[in-house]
Amino acid sequence: MGRYVIRRLLQMIPVFFGATLLIFLMVNVMGDPIAGLCGDRQCDPATAAQLEKEFGLDKPLWQQYLTYMGNVFTGDFGTAFNGQPVTELMASAFPVTIRLTIVAIFFEILIGISLGVVTGLKRGRPVDTTVLLLTLVVLSVPTFVTGLLIQLLLGVKWGWIKPAVSPEAPFSELIVPGLVLASVSLAYVTRLTRTSIAENKRADYVRTAVAKGLPRRRVISRHLLRNSLIPVVTFIGADIGALMGGAIVTERIFNIHGVGYQLYQGIVRQNTQTVVGFVTILVLIFLLANLLVDLLYAVLDPRIRYA
Amino acid sequence: MSIIDKTAAVPAPRGGDHTGPLLEVRDLHVEFHTRDGVAKAVNGVNYSVNAGETLAVLGESGSGKSVTAQAIMGILDMPPGKIPQGEILFRGEDMLKMSEEERRKIRGRKIAMIFQDALSSLNPVLTVGYQLGEMFRVHHGMSKKDAKVKAIELMDKVKIPAAKARVSDYPHQFSGGMRQRIMIAMALALEPDLIIADEPTTALDVTVQAQVMDLLAELQQEYNMGLILITHDLGVVADVADKIAVMYAGRIVEQAPVHELYKRPAHPYTRGLLDSIPRLDQKGQELYAIKGLPPNLLKVPTGCAFNPRCPKADDLCRTEIPALVPVTEQNGADLPGRKSACHFWKETIHG
């Protein structure tokens, strides 16, 4: 197990450098890093040259990349459009998004897996068909439609929730946005669990477990579920990364000042340093989430641990 | 070693006042309702097993031997499976009339089952120690620690080397023979009265087959258990079984004490099976094979199900289903325990 962890950690290093290099190239080579610095107008050549010199953009590319990496490792992500250091933005944005993600993942696990288990065990029955149809609806409606609709109904018409989340964004205000954010993944998790359960239900080892005289509950929880959850865990783990970065739509709708909101601001105001900084951190989160998945995978399936 | 010394005396028959056979299957029918129609997998099977006795159930794939066993265990998939009629008496009580909870308590504790493919039949993500210990934890409410000690004892009992070191290993870390030993250990855990072994050696190579069968026979004797051995391997049967039931298309076509069946089969199907064993004294000759294929259970032939493949079949066989009747000597003397379901059993057994 120890060697497996070390191997996985070592594999992360080239991926991290590769991903950051791509971000760096996309912004510095394909885009114009100083485009947004003079407000809405084009910078005049003299100012542009001065800015380039100031930011070291006149140096060779490899030197620029080294400077960028050096800054990343010392925690210097530059300043945002309003003069605040990007790290300060991160400090306020990430806790909010992490809370939102926790709520979303919680719903995915709780509702998604429970529905999946129920439908998988009762395949072909009315419960199964109904849930399957519902997941199809959820999957086919884009998040911004569900989000706006729920905001309109629950927030504006019926007044059950506040339509906009306060800047502090406590857990209690994030329940509905979390559900909206989770909705699509939740439907996926349901379907994934259902298929997995229905397939493993016929497995020989489940038959053995029944033949051993174990109560039905134990057969399902210890024998069937453990094996069926392996693909689901993979999906949920990868989804942590996706939810952290992909909450732009949901955060916009409910006015949550999280990562998605800051990224959006960075893009709209053409502030490269905000975007690059946040994306770099998101890459790290993605990598960590994937590591977590692989480790969980090994915990769940000993055949991988010893391979 | 010491474990065997302790139980050297033959245990007294367990289970108290019931005197009849340990298990009796009466007129059991099992059918599967599929999209293409009703597949009649078992059509009126009768057999019984006593304590300490071994019944071998012989037959091709699809003859209903495994389905009968699964019906006894209560692990049939229902639906699509259905038991329209019949009785399965365990110590005189009909298990088909019991509640699911009562049946669950019999499973594993009184009747245990050994499956064919030990790799897929053991849970890949749980240690063998956990899977063995589960029997004690669930049925006897033992603690995790005590159950582990018991698991090691069991693994010793089925002669797995270094049991203590291997109790925390996973099924895929064992060889095929060792895995089957673990299956046997699991079935033996609570010293059941009856063990059903569904082709326990089919997935193993020949040398390991013999070891596993010996082990099974030894343990059966030690605990005075009844054993139903399901197989299609006539070689395995000869050494261990007391009596044989030959199944074809969901019916028992012949029943006999083991050695008499080999000497004088009373059904053309049994004769065909015996003739298709390679023999040293017939070297160079072409090996006999029963022509044709096993019948489609959705469309069993009318009359005797074996008639399209039978060398002796005539019009009677195509119209009338032969009953399983007692077989006698030529002079009418009884042959205890022998029965045949062939219109021409006399010709078959006496020449």
Side-chain angles (χ1 to χ4, degrees), chain A residues 204-205 207-208 210-215 218 222-223 226-227 300 302-303 305-306, chain B residues 73 104 107-108 115 120-121 123-126 130-131 134-135 138-139 170 172 186:
Chain A
D204 286 348
Y205 58 80
R207 190 185 56 184
T208 310
V210 176
K212 278 161 87 174
L214 307 184
R218 195 181 173 95
R222 293 288 161 87
H223 290 265
R226 176 107 188 249
N227 280 280
L300 285 175
R303 286 166 298 184
R305 206 178 312 166
Y306 295 96
Chain B
M73 272 316 273
R104 180 182 75 73
R107 279 201 286 268
F115 295 97
S120 63
S121 297
N123 193 328
V125 303
L126 299 173
Y130 182 91
Q131 294 185 61
E134 211 175 16
M135 299 295 283
V138 169
H139 288 286
Y170 292 89
H172 71 275
M186 202 146 80

Side-chain angles (χ1 to χ4, degrees), chain A residues 105-134:
Chain A
I105 294 283
F106 174 77
F107 280 125
E108 265 181 47
I109 292 173
L110 193 78
I111 303 178
I113 293 181
S114 325
L115 282 180
V117 170
V118 170
T119 53
L121 290 174
K122 311 224 175 235
R123 193 152 77 154
R125 309 269 185 83
V127 196
D128 178 33
T129 324
T130 316
V131 172
L132 215 57
L133 214 72
L134 276 175

Side-chain angles (χ1 to χ4, degrees), chain A residues 1 6 26 39-40 48 62 66 88 111 134 136-137 164 181 185 192 212 253 263 275 285:
Chain A
M1 189 73 184
I6 292 170
M26 262 192 278
D40 289 334
W62 63 270
L66 282 185
E88 242 172 62
I111 303 178
L134 276 175
L136 206 64
V137 172
L181 181 64
S185 303
L192 211 56
K212 278 161 87 174
I253 293 173
L263 260 178
V275 178
I285 289 172

Side-chain angles (χ1 to χ4, degrees), chain B residues 7-286:
Chain B
T7 45
V10 176
R14 285 167 288 162
D17 47 345
H18 176 69
T19 47
L22 185 64
L23 180 92
E24 197 176 359
V25 178
R26 280 190 199 157
D27 193 31
L28 183 72
H29 287 69
V30 181
E31 44 191 47
F32 290 96
H33 293 254
T34 66
R35 213 168 285 178
D36 305 318
V38 179
K40 297 193 168 169
V42 177
N43 303 300
V45 160
N46 293 284
Y47 60 57
S48 67
V49 191
N50 293 315
E53 189 181 46
T54 302
L55 165 74
V57 181
L58 210 68
E60 293 169 299
S61 315
S63 59
K65 53 194 195 314
S66 291
V67 173
T68 312
Q70 284 173 15
I72 295 170
M73 272 316 273
I75 53 171
L76 268 181
D77 272 336
M78 298 207 275
K82 211 181 148 192
I83 303 179
Q85 68 181 92
E87 285 177 329
I88 301 172
L89 305 176
F90 179 70
R91 295 195 179 286
E93 264 187 276
D94 188 359
M95 290 203 291
L96 294 177
K97 292 201 178 73
M98 287 180 189
S99 71
E100 181 47 40
E101 187 58 18
E102 282 176 289
R103 290 207 76 177
R104 180 182 75 73
K105 286 188 173 149
I106 291 178
R107 279 201 286 268
R109 195 189 312 212
K110 301 281 179 203
I111 307 179
M113 191 156 175
I114 299 168
F115 295 97
Q116 185 183 133
D117 182 358
L119 180 58
S120 63
S121 297
L122 290 169
N123 193 328
V125 303
L126 299 173
T127 64
V128 295
Y130 182 91
Q131 294 185 61
L132 287 169
E134 211 175 16
M135 299 295 283
F136 300 104
R137 289 174 61 193
V138 169
H139 288 286
H140 291 173
M142 241 180 229
S143 75
K144 216 168 181 170
K145 219 168 119 196
D146 295 344
K148 194 171 171 181
V149 174
K150 280 283 198 184
I152 297 172
E153 264 174 41
L154 273 175
M155 285 168 74
D156 264 330
K157 180 131 218 150
V158 295
K159 301 186 181 113
I160 291 173
K164 204 165 187 168
R166 305 216 64 187
V167 71
S168 306
D169 281 358
Y170 292 89
H172 71 275
Q173 292 168 294
F174 288 85
S175 69
M178 289 298 147
R179 275 198 288 266
Q180 196 54 278
R181 281 166 198 263
I182 289 162
M183 279 303 286
I184 292 174
M186 202 146 80
L188 282 171
L190 305 178
E191 301 180 14
D193 301 337
L194 176 70
I195 287 197
I196 303 172
D198 190 353
E199 309 204 20
T201 59
T202 309
L204 306 173
D205 58 54
V206 183
T207 46
V208 182
Q209 274 185 13
Q211 292 170 15
V212 168
M213 280 319 297
D214 286 347
L215 175 71
L216 202 55
E218 193 184 307
L219 294 167
Q220 180 202 7
Q221 214 156 34
E222 190 181 323
Y223 291 125
N224 195 31
M225 294 179 299
L227 175 66
I228 298 178
L229 182 66
I230 297 166
T231 179
H232 56 240
D233 188 342
L234 282 159
V236 167
V237 172
D239 301 327
V240 284
D242 298 308
K243 56 186 189 184
I244 293 188
V246 182
M247 284 189 74
Y248 188 81
R251 281 174 209 281
I252 291 182
V253 293
E254 180 168 5
Q255 241 171 17
V258 66
H259 294 295
E260 297 198 28
L261 184 108
Y262 282 84
K263 256 185 271 165
R264 289 190 302 176
H267 195 285
Y269 178 60
T270 318
R271 160 144 297 167
L273 287 179
L274 291 172
D275 285 346
S276 44
I277 302 174
R279 288 170 57 155
L280 275 178
D281 57 344
Q282 286 169 357
K283 219 169 144 186
Q285 292 176 32
E286 197 184 326

